[in-house]
Amino acid sequence: MAPQSWYLIVSALLFGLGIVGFVTRRNSLVMFMSVELMLNAANLVFVAAARDHVPARGSACALFVIAVAASEVAVGLALVLALFRLKKSVDSDAVRELRA
Amino acid sequence: MLSERTAFLIFSVIALIGAVNVITRRHPVHAALWLVGTFLGVAGLFLTLGAGLLGAIQVMVYAGAIMVLFLFVILLLNLDAPPDEGLSFARGASLLAAVATLALIALPLARAPELRAAATPESPVADASAGQVANVLFTRYALPFEVVSLLLLIAMVGAIHLARRPRRDETV
């Protein structure tokens, strides 16, 4: 069996790549994809940590995360659509109405 | 027969290569397709962890439903060729944040003997089969389960409201 720490390291790398993508990219679609990367990393930790205890509970928690991710994507993409209608752009820097 | 360690290495390399390409490809369609690779890699990791149900759900919900949603929106927007994104300060800051996250996770791992001991259990542990997950989901986690169903309903209503084209006689 692969040690649990290996899974945690892969998960940390995935999460770090998600952070890098979320902060560096200005395309809001790619920013959402980076959030999905981070949520996947969290799921991996749930399942890996539960393997040596009660595996079914880890899977159940990961299922909840998947459901939250699905609703987040649905609302987020609707927001992107509304933004595109307003600005003709999905660049997150295009929205500066609240900037003083 | 593929050993679990070999499978782990293959799937994690797939997931990480996919993730690197998601954040480096300039065109959103390419990023979305690489994201499918990452999702499949993570699904494989779930399988090596003995969570077969979650692997199947990952493929169906993430690689199926969520990616189709992404691609639909990208097609709907019909974006031009993306401009070059030069943003050096944010890049530096994000690299710092990523390294800090890695350090936060790696440092406790390096100095936790009990975690390393727990990493190699003597007895084979139970797997997270569909029956066991359902047992937990509908007894211990029954309330969160209902809350999640409500959340999905709210998200659906919200998404429809946000994406709807406003009528002429009403303001957004």
Side-chain angles (χ1 to χ4, degrees):
Chain A
M1 255 205 261
Q4 200 177 34
S5 53
W6 292 12
Y7 287 96
L8 298 185
I9 288 166
V10 170
S11 166
L13 287 170
L14 273 180
F15 196 87
L17 287 169
I19 290 182
V20 172
F22 187 80
V23 182
T24 56
R25 298 302 299 264
R26 284 181 298 169
N27 187 322
S28 38
L29 286 165
V30 181
M31 287 169 76
F32 273 116
M33 292 180 204
S34 305
V35 173
E36 297 305 311
L37 281 183
M38 290 192 264
L39 286 168
N40 255 288
N43 270 348
L44 198 54
V45 172
F46 266 125
V47 179
R51 181 182 69 179
D52 302 331
H53 301 282
V54 187
R57 282 189 203 164
S59 287
C61 288
L63 270 179
F64 293 141
V65 174
I66 288 178
V68 171
S71 24
E72 175 253 330
V73 165
V75 175
L77 289 180
L79 280 172
V80 170
L81 272 181
L83 184 70
F84 184 77
R85 230 172 255 149
L86 211 62
K87 295 277 176 192
K88 298 286 168 254
S89 164
V90 290
D91 195 325
S92 59
D93 282 354
V95 196
R96 44 180 75 230
E97 268 69 27
L98 288 180
R99 197 173 285 175
Chain B
M1 184 62 197
L2 207 62
S3 81
E4 197 225 337
R5 282 179 188 225
T6 320
F8 167 83
L9 288 175
I10 291 171
F11 286 132
S12 49
V13 165
I14 290 174
L16 290 174
I17 288 177
V20 168
N21 278 293
V22 167
I23 65 172
T24 51
R25 294 298 103 182
R26 269 169 58 192
H27 204 288
V29 173
H30 298 171
L33 293 177
W34 279 106
L35 192 57
V36 175
T38 300
F39 287 158
L40 293 181
V42 174
L45 288 176
F46 286 156
L47 286 180
T48 63
L49 282 164
L53 174 71
L54 202 62
I57 288 176
Q58 167 94 1
V59 171
M60 283 189 285
V61 175
Y62 265 118
I66 291 184
M67 287 325 299
V68 169
L69 202 58
F70 264 113
L71 290 174
F72 265 158
V73 170
I74 293 172
L75 291 178
L76 202 58
L77 298 182
N78 192 18
L79 297 170
D80 302 330
D84 197 13
E85 295 188 4
L87 205 65
S88 54
F89 171 73
R91 263 190 201 150
S94 68
L95 280 178
L96 202 66
V99 170
T101 311
L102 280 182
L104 272 178
I105 298 169
L107 285 181
L109 273 183
R111 58 173 68 179
E114 69 274 11
L115 196 63
R116 265 177 281 165
T120 50
E122 305 82 21
S123 59
V125 288
D127 68 329
S129 68
Q132 284 166 318
V133 175
N135 248 338
V136 171
L137 206 58
F138 295 125
T139 54
R140 187 185 179 90
Y141 294 140
L143 181 65
F145 182 78
E146 296 299 331
V147 172
V148 157
S149 67
L150 200 61
L151 174 76
L152 284 171
L153 176 69
I154 294 169
M156 192 166 69
V157 174
I160 291 171
H161 174 75
L162 285 171
R164 196 177 54 108
R165 205 177 285 275
R167 285 199 300 270
R168 279 201 202 88
D169 57 339
E170 69 179 338
T171 53
V172 185

